[in-house]
Amino acid sequence: MNEYKHGLRDGIPIALGYFSVSFAFGIMAAEAGLEVWEAALVSLMNVTSAGQFAGVTVMAALGSYIEMALTQLVINLRYSLMAISLSQKADGKFRGIWRALLGFGITDEVFAAAAGKDGEVSRSYFAGIISLPIISWTAGTLCGAVLGNVMPEFITNALGVALYGMFIAIVIPKAKESRKILAAVIMSAVISLMVKYIPWFSGISSGFAIIICAVAASAVCALIFGGKENEG
């Protein structure tokens, strides 16, 4: 129970950030023609911001199932890398349906928080850390679909900034504690800027861009720090 409470506590800032972003998704889903309950169900069953925004765009354009599948594969492929990485930190009781739950519940922010946790990740902790974010993501979508047209546009646009602030709040403390993590963060930022502004990378989707940044930064840091396990 203590582990579950620990997970709930770590999930609070993630949930707060998710509400604002999912609110914007709810507005977009309603404008695309989805019913309120349909928009909320999409968020409950997916919990992936970029994937959902892209998916609704495909729906609005009357795209095919193949287009939808390929779009989701490209955008969400990075979660498989996160799941593989986090599974190495999971304790011995993380088997069966719990492995599936780990795969479903992983998001960028949940992964960052769980990977930064001291020690192993237990089933109770992971259940706790994903509980509030999933509820908040679904509730934010519901509110956005119902109330979005009532609020001024500048407020709804500003809500999206909260997610970035929340992610920074998760990463920076760990970067201050470890030179390895700080190096990985800086390396990822540099590679991300290269992918964004170098014309040769212009055709790469945001999902693949994240994968490139993660793999490249991890590889470089592994080469640099691989033999320095005891160094902070």
Side-chain angles (χ1 to χ4, degrees), residues 55-163:
V56 168
T57 300
V58 174
M59 292 180 190
L62 302 180
S64 66
Y65 289 125
I66 295 178
E67 289 174 313
M68 177 67 79
L70 290 176
T71 298
Q72 297 306 310
L73 175 64
V74 170
I75 293 175
N76 296 320
L77 187 59
R78 69 186 188 277
Y79 294 128
S80 63
L81 300 180
M82 296 179 191
I84 292 172
S85 175
L86 193 58
S87 67
Q88 306 305 307
K89 194 177 174 66
D91 66 15
K93 297 181 179 179
F94 238 114
R95 301 191 187 96
I97 189 65
W98 284 96
R99 290 275 176 170
L101 181 65
L102 185 149
F104 170 76
I106 279 186
T107 65
D108 299 329
E109 296 75 24
V110 168
F111 171 75
K117 177 183 179 293
D118 294 332
E120 293 183 323
V121 174
S122 68
R123 296 184 303 182
S124 296
Y125 174 84
F126 193 78
I129 199 173
I130 67 174
S131 294
L132 293 180
I134 291 177
I135 293 173
S136 180
W137 185 257
T138 305
T141 299
L142 184 64
C143 292
V146 173
L147 304 174
N149 293 329
V150 179
M151 299 179 66
E153 184 177 358
F154 76 91
I155 294 180
T156 57
N157 290 338
L159 288 172
V161 178
L163 186 64

Side-chain angles (χ1 to χ4, degrees), residues 3-84:
E3 280 287 287
Y4 182 75
K5 290 180 179 178
H6 184 188
L8 282 177
R9 185 175 67 250
D10 288 351
I12 290 174
I14 300 176
L16 294 176
Y18 279 7
F19 186 88
S20 61
V21 178
S22 61
F23 193 99
F25 171 74
I27 296 173
M28 177 184 178
E31 291 177 346
L34 271 68
E35 299 291 339
V36 171
W37 68 269
E38 290 175 326
L41 185 62
V42 168
S43 283
L44 179 62
M45 301 301 293
N46 289 273
V47 198
T48 166
S49 58
Q52 290 181 208
F53 279 101
V56 168
T57 300
V58 174
M59 292 180 190
L62 302 180
S64 66
Y65 289 125
I66 295 178
E67 289 174 313
M68 177 67 79
L70 290 176
T71 298
Q72 297 306 310
L73 175 64
V74 170
I75 293 175
N76 296 320
L77 187 59
R78 69 186 188 277
Y79 294 128
S80 63
L81 300 180
M82 296 179 191
I84 292 172

